[in-house]
PDB file of all heavy atoms in Angstrom:
ATOM      1  N   LYS A 434      87.455 117.424 100.510  1.00 89.00           N
ATOM      2  CA  LYS A 434      87.964 117.010  99.203  1.00 89.00           C
ATOM      3  C   LYS A 434      89.148 117.876  98.774  1.00 89.00           C
ATOM      4  O   LYS A 434      90.137 117.370  98.245  1.00 89.00           O
ATOM      5  CB  LYS A 434      86.854 117.080  98.160  1.00 89.00           C
ATOM      6  CG  LYS A 434      85.792 116.009  98.345  1.00 89.00           C
ATOM      7  CD  LYS A 434      84.707 116.136  97.294  1.00 89.00           C
ATOM      8  CE  LYS A 434      83.657 115.068  97.449  1.00 89.00           C
ATOM      9  NZ  LYS A 434      82.610 115.169  96.413  1.00 89.00           N
ATOM     10  N   SER A 435      89.055 119.174  99.018  1.00 88.00           N
ATOM     11  CA  SER A 435      90.153 120.082  98.652  1.00 88.00           C
ATOM     12  C   SER A 435      91.416 119.767  99.436  1.00 88.00           C
ATOM     13  O   SER A 435      92.510 119.744  98.869  1.00 88.00           O
ATOM     14  CB  SER A 435      89.749 121.540  98.900  1.00 88.00           C
ATOM     15  OG  SER A 435      88.702 121.910  98.045  1.00 88.00           O
ATOM     16  N   HIS A 436      91.271 119.533 100.743  1.00 84.00           N
ATOM     17  CA  HIS A 436      92.432 119.202 101.568  1.00 84.00           C
ATOM     18  C   HIS A 436      93.091 117.920 101.070  1.00 84.00           C
ATOM     19  O   HIS A 436      94.317 117.846 100.974  1.00 84.00           O
ATOM     20  CB  HIS A 436      92.038 119.035 103.037  1.00 84.00           C
ATOM     21  CG  HIS A 436      91.874 120.323 103.778  1.00 84.00           C
ATOM     22  ND1 HIS A 436      92.806 121.337 103.750  1.00 84.00           N
ATOM     23  CD2 HIS A 436      90.873 120.754 104.597  1.00 84.00           C
ATOM     24  CE1 HIS A 436      92.394 122.336 104.514  1.00 84.00           C
ATOM     25  NE2 HIS A 436      91.217 122.006 105.034  1.00 84.00           N
ATOM     26  N   ILE A 437      92.292 116.919 100.756  1.00 85.00           N
ATOM     27  CA  ILE A 437      92.847 115.643 100.289  1.00 85.00           C
ATOM     28  C   ILE A 437      93.562 115.844  98.959  1.00 85.00           C
ATOM     29  O   ILE A 437      94.697 115.383  98.776  1.00 85.00           O
ATOM     30  CB  ILE A 437      91.749 114.562 100.196  1.00 85.00           C
ATOM     31  CG1 ILE A 437      91.291 114.159 101.606  1.00 85.00           C
ATOM     32  CG2 ILE A 437      92.246 113.335  99.423  1.00 85.00           C
ATOM     33  CD1 ILE A 437      90.099 113.227 101.632  1.00 85.00           C
ATOM     34  N   ARG A 438      92.931 116.548  98.027  1.00 86.00           N
ATOM     35  CA  ARG A 438      93.544 116.757  96.713  1.00 86.00           C
ATOM     36  C   ARG A 438      94.863 117.511  96.827  1.00 86.00           C
ATOM     37  O   ARG A 438      95.882 117.096  96.272  1.00 86.00           O
ATOM     38  CB  ARG A 438      92.572 117.520  95.798  1.00 86.00           C
ATOM     39  CG  ARG A 438      93.122 117.763  94.395  1.00 86.00           C
ATOM     40  CD  ARG A 438      92.166 118.559  93.521  1.00 86.00           C
ATOM     41  NE  ARG A 438      91.607 119.736  94.159  1.00 86.00           N
ATOM     42  CZ  ARG A 438      92.256 120.894  94.334  1.00 86.00           C
ATOM     43  NH1 ARG A 438      93.488 121.027  93.922  1.00 86.00           N
ATOM     44  NH2 ARG A 438      91.667 121.915  94.915  1.00 86.00           N
ATOM     45  N   ARG A 439      94.866 118.619  97.582  1.00 85.00           N
ATOM     46  CA  ARG A 439      96.094 119.415  97.714  1.00 85.00           C
ATOM     47  C   ARG A 439      97.191 118.631  98.433  1.00 85.00           C
ATOM     48  O   ARG A 439      98.367 118.708  98.059  1.00 85.00           O
ATOM     49  CB  ARG A 439      95.805 120.726  98.448  1.00 85.00           C
ATOM     50  CG  ARG A 439      95.113 121.755  97.582  1.00 85.00           C
ATOM     51  CD  ARG A 439      95.114 123.135  98.230  1.00 85.00           C
ATOM     52  NE  ARG A 439      94.544 123.169  99.557  1.00 85.00           N
ATOM     53  CZ  ARG A 439      93.265 123.434  99.817  1.00 85.00           C
ATOM     54  NH1 ARG A 439      92.423 123.703  98.844  1.00 85.00           N
ATOM     55  NH2 ARG A 439      92.822 123.451 101.044  1.00 85.00           N
ATOM     56  N   THR A 440      96.826 117.883  99.448  1.00 81.00           N
ATOM     57  CA  THR A 440      97.820 117.100 100.180  1.00 81.00           C
ATOM     58  C   THR A 440      98.405 116.006  99.303  1.00 81.00           C
ATOM     59  O   THR A 440      99.616 115.774  99.304  1.00 81.00           O
ATOM     60  CB  THR A 440      97.201 116.504 101.456  1.00 81.00           C
ATOM     61  OG1 THR A 440      96.669 117.562 102.252  1.00 81.00           O
ATOM     62  CG2 THR A 440      98.239 115.739 102.264  1.00 81.00           C
ATOM     63  N   LEU A 441      97.568 115.333  98.517  1.00 81.00           N
ATOM     64  CA  LEU A 441      98.070 114.292  97.616  1.00 81.00           C
ATOM     65  C   LEU A 441      98.975 114.890  96.544  1.00 81.00           C
ATOM     66  O   LEU A 441      99.995 114.280  96.181  1.00 81.00           O
ATOM     67  CB  LEU A 441      96.910 113.520  96.984  1.00 81.00           C
ATOM     68  CG  LEU A 441      96.127 112.613  97.933  1.00 81.00           C
ATOM     69  CD1 LEU A 441      94.959 111.974  97.211  1.00 81.00           C
ATOM     70  CD2 LEU A 441      97.028 111.563  98.557  1.00 81.00           C
ATOM     71  N   GLU A 442      98.631 116.073  96.045  1.00 83.00           N
ATOM     72  CA  GLU A 442      99.503 116.738  95.068  1.00 83.00           C
ATOM     73  C   GLU A 442     100.856 117.055  95.694  1.00 83.00           C
ATOM     74  O   GLU A 442     101.907 116.848  95.075  1.00 83.00           O
ATOM     75  CB  GLU A 442      98.855 118.025  94.554  1.00 83.00           C
ATOM     76  CG  GLU A 442      97.703 117.772  93.609  1.00 83.00           C
ATOM     77  CD  GLU A 442      96.939 119.041  93.256  1.00 83.00           C
ATOM     78  OE1 GLU A 442      97.248 120.134  93.797  1.00 83.00           O
ATOM     79  OE2 GLU A 442      96.003 118.936  92.448  1.00 83.00           O
ATOM     80  N   ARG A 443     100.844 117.527  96.937  1.00 79.00           N
ATOM     81  CA  ARG A 443     102.087 117.847  97.633  1.00 79.00           C
ATOM     82  C   ARG A 443     102.929 116.584  97.826  1.00 79.00           C
ATOM     83  O   ARG A 443     104.141 116.594  97.593  1.00 79.00           O
ATOM     84  CB  ARG A 443     101.764 118.478  98.984  1.00 79.00           C
ATOM     85  CG  ARG A 443     102.966 118.784  99.822  1.00 79.00           C
ATOM     86  CD  ARG A 443     102.564 119.414 101.125  1.00 79.00           C
ATOM     87  NE  ARG A 443     103.704 119.488 102.012  1.00 79.00           N
ATOM     88  CZ  ARG A 443     103.636 119.888 103.255  1.00 79.00           C
ATOM     89  NH1 ARG A 443     102.485 120.276 103.767  1.00 79.00           N
ATOM     90  NH2 ARG A 443     104.706 119.917 104.002  1.00 79.00           N
ATOM     91  N   LEU A 444     102.286 115.493  98.242  1.00 74.00           N
ATOM     92  CA  LEU A 444     103.011 114.237  98.427  1.00 74.00           C
ATOM     93  C   LEU A 444     103.576 113.732  97.102  1.00 74.00           C
ATOM     94  O   LEU A 444     104.716 113.266  97.039  1.00 74.00           O
ATOM     95  CB  LEU A 444     102.103 113.177  99.053  1.00 74.00           C
ATOM     96  CG  LEU A 444     101.721 113.398 100.516  1.00 74.00           C
ATOM     97  CD1 LEU A 444     100.660 112.392 100.939  1.00 74.00           C
ATOM     98  CD2 LEU A 444     102.929 113.307 101.422  1.00 74.00           C
ATOM     99  N   ARG A 445     102.778 113.815  96.033  1.00 75.00           N
ATOM    100  CA  ARG A 445     103.248 113.363  94.721  1.00 75.00           C
ATOM    101  C   ARG A 445     104.464 114.169  94.282  1.00 75.00           C
ATOM    102  O   ARG A 445     105.466 113.617  93.837  1.00 75.00           O
ATOM    103  CB  ARG A 445     102.136 113.491  93.677  1.00 75.00           C
ATOM    104  CG  ARG A 445     102.553 112.921  92.314  1.00 75.00           C
ATOM    105  CD  ARG A 445     101.637 113.318  91.203  1.00 75.00           C
ATOM    106  NE  ARG A 445     101.813 114.752  90.967  1.00 75.00           N
ATOM    107  CZ  ARG A 445     100.824 115.620  90.831  1.00 75.00           C
ATOM    108  NH1 ARG A 445      99.576 115.221  90.870  1.00 75.00           N
ATOM    109  NH2 ARG A 445     101.060 116.897  90.629  1.00 75.00           N
ATOM    110  N   ASP A 446     104.375 115.492  94.421  1.00 74.00           N
ATOM    111  CA  ASP A 446     105.499 116.344  94.034  1.00 74.00           C
ATOM    112  C   ASP A 446     106.745 115.997  94.832  1.00 74.00           C
ATOM    113  O   ASP A 446     107.842 115.906  94.287  1.00 74.00           O
ATOM    114  CB  ASP A 446     105.157 117.822  94.224  1.00 74.00           C
ATOM    115  CG  ASP A 446     104.094 118.309  93.247  1.00 74.00           C
ATOM    116  OD1 ASP A 446     103.830 117.604  92.249  1.00 74.00           O
ATOM    117  OD2 ASP A 446     103.519 119.385  93.503  1.00 74.00           O
ATOM    118  N   ARG A 447     106.583 115.771  96.115  1.00 68.00           N
ATOM    119  CA  ARG A 447     107.729 115.446  96.972  1.00 68.00           C
ATOM    120  C   ARG A 447     108.331 114.100  96.568  1.00 68.00           C
ATOM    121  O   ARG A 447     109.545 113.962  96.475  1.00 68.00           O
ATOM    122  CB  ARG A 447     107.295 115.422  98.432  1.00 68.00           C
ATOM    123  CG  ARG A 447     108.380 115.008  99.394  1.00 68.00           C
ATOM    124  CD  ARG A 447     109.567 115.982  99.345  1.00 68.00           C
ATOM    125  NE  ARG A 447     110.686 115.446 100.074  1.00 68.00           N
ATOM    126  CZ  ARG A 447     111.052 115.853 101.272  1.00 68.00           C
ATOM    127  NH1 ARG A 447     110.400 116.822 101.860  1.00 68.00           N
ATOM    128  NH2 ARG A 447     112.073 115.294 101.858  1.00 68.00           N
ATOM    129  N   LEU A 448     107.483 113.104  96.301  1.00 63.00           N
ATOM    130  CA  LEU A 448     107.984 111.796  95.900  1.00 63.00           C
ATOM    131  C   LEU A 448     108.699 111.881  94.554  1.00 63.00           C
ATOM    132  O   LEU A 448     109.718 111.220  94.344  1.00 63.00           O
ATOM    133  CB  LEU A 448     106.856 110.768  95.848  1.00 63.00           C
ATOM    134  CG  LEU A 448     106.327 110.318  97.203  1.00 63.00           C
ATOM    135  CD1 LEU A 448     105.110 109.426  97.024  1.00 63.00           C
ATOM    136  CD2 LEU A 448     107.395 109.601  98.005  1.00 63.00           C
ATOM    137  N   GLU A 449     108.175 112.695  93.639  1.00 67.00           N
ATOM    138  CA  GLU A 449     108.833 112.837  92.345  1.00 67.00           C
ATOM    139  C   GLU A 449     110.194 113.494  92.488  1.00 67.00           C
ATOM    140  O   GLU A 449     111.166 113.070  91.890  1.00 67.00           O
ATOM    141  CB  GLU A 449     107.954 113.653  91.386  1.00 67.00           C
ATOM    142  CG  GLU A 449     106.755 112.882  90.884  1.00 67.00           C
ATOM    143  CD  GLU A 449     105.809 113.723  90.048  1.00 67.00           C
ATOM    144  OE1 GLU A 449     106.014 114.952  89.939  1.00 67.00           O
ATOM    145  OE2 GLU A 449     104.848 113.148  89.518  1.00 67.00           O
ATOM    146  N   VAL A 450     110.291 114.527  93.338  1.00 59.00           N
ATOM    147  CA  VAL A 450     111.561 115.204  93.538  1.00 59.00           C
ATOM    148  C   VAL A 450     112.549 114.261  94.215  1.00 59.00           C
ATOM    149  O   VAL A 450     113.682 114.095  93.767  1.00 59.00           O
ATOM    150  CB  VAL A 450     111.378 116.488  94.406  1.00 59.00           C
ATOM    151  CG1 VAL A 450     112.695 117.018  94.889  1.00 59.00           C
ATOM    152  CG2 VAL A 450     110.625 117.537  93.594  1.00 59.00           C
TER     153      VAL A 450
END
Side-chain angles (χ1 to χ4, degrees):
K434 289 179 179 181
S435 295
H436 280 311
I437 290 173
R438 181 182 47 77
R439 284 193 305 268
T440 303
L441 290 176
E442 287 172 356
R443 177 179 170 186
L444 290 172
R445 185 194 69 227
D446 292 345
R447 176 61 191 256
L448 287 173
E449 287 174 354
V450 167

